[in-house]
Amino acid sequence: MKRIYIDRDLCEACKGCVLACMAKSNNTDIDSLNLSDTTNQSANLVKQSNQGELSPLFCRHCDDPECVEACMSGALTKDKESAIVSLDQDRCAGCWMCVMSCSYGMIKKDTQTNVAFKCDLCKDKEETACVENCPMGAIELIEVGEGRV
């Protein structure tokens, strides 16, 4: 199973990962992204701690995902083989139980479609948009068990 690993010592909270995710979600490139469009969303975010430290947050594809348990429509599932939590937006009923149950705040309401929205680790890609666009090399997509996740 792959998970996103963040080396917080390398991360400078530049939000390059957020912009890359936003661009991927809108099927455009970062240079063409309309930052004044408030409907643009990213499946990750950079959050500030109480101590003022900034760090990126991503869907952890939890071992026991509460979002999957809370999903009444069956739109959220966890693949037994890859352990990746996936969202079928066509099945999403917009009840927001997943949004309320995610303890990391990583599932969001898509304001354009009125269904849930979350990180899918850039399905069907070798690399993820956030990893490819991190100028500091602070974000990696690694196999669980490599000692860092």
Side-chain angles (χ1 to χ4, degrees):
M1 173 173 88
K2 291 186 177 184
R3 286 198 178 154
I4 292 175
Y5 170 76
I6 305 157
D7 185 333
R8 298 195 190 289
D9 293 331
L10 292 177
C11 178
E12 293 189 354
C14 69
K15 298 188 180 181
C17 57
V18 175
L19 291 173
C21 182
M22 207 181 284
K24 179 200 170 279
S25 299
N26 288 286
N27 296 315
T28 189
D29 57 41
I30 292 175
D31 294 332
S32 302
L33 189 61
N34 180 0
L35 295 177
S36 64
D37 184 352
T38 57
T39 61
N40 287 338
Q41 292 192 65
S42 172
N44 57 12
L45 59 98
V46 175
K47 193 169 186 171
Q48 187 170 12
S49 72
N50 293 337
Q51 294 79 24
E53 296 174 350
L54 293 169
S55 62
L57 294 175
F58 297 83
C59 178
R60 301 285 296 159
H61 299 272
C62 303
D63 292 331
D64 295 313
E66 294 177 27
C67 59
V68 173
E69 295 296 321
C71 182
M72 297 185 293
S73 67
L76 280 165
T77 57
K78 181 175 178 177
D79 184 75
K80 291 177 183 172
E81 197 170 301
S82 70
I84 292 175
V85 176
S86 296
L87 171 66
D88 180 349
Q89 288 186 320
D90 291 336
R91 293 186 68 182
C92 179
C95 69
W96 314 129
M97 293 301 293
C98 58
V99 174
M100 291 183 281
S101 68
C102 178
S103 56
Y104 299 101
M106 292 287 91
I107 301 178
K108 303 171 185 179
K109 298 176 185 179
D110 186 328
T111 55
Q112 294 176 349
T113 61
N114 208 32
V115 296
F117 177 72
K118 69 172 284 305
C119 174
D120 63 3
L121 297 176
C122 293
K123 283 184 184 174
D124 305 323
K125 287 193 161 195
E126 286 295 315
E127 287 290 324
T128 62
C130 56
V131 171
E132 290 174 1
N133 289 280
C134 179
M136 302 306 296
I139 306 169
E140 295 179 80
L141 188 61
I142 64 169
E143 287 290 331
V144 173
E146 290 185 12
R148 292 184 278 186
V149 179

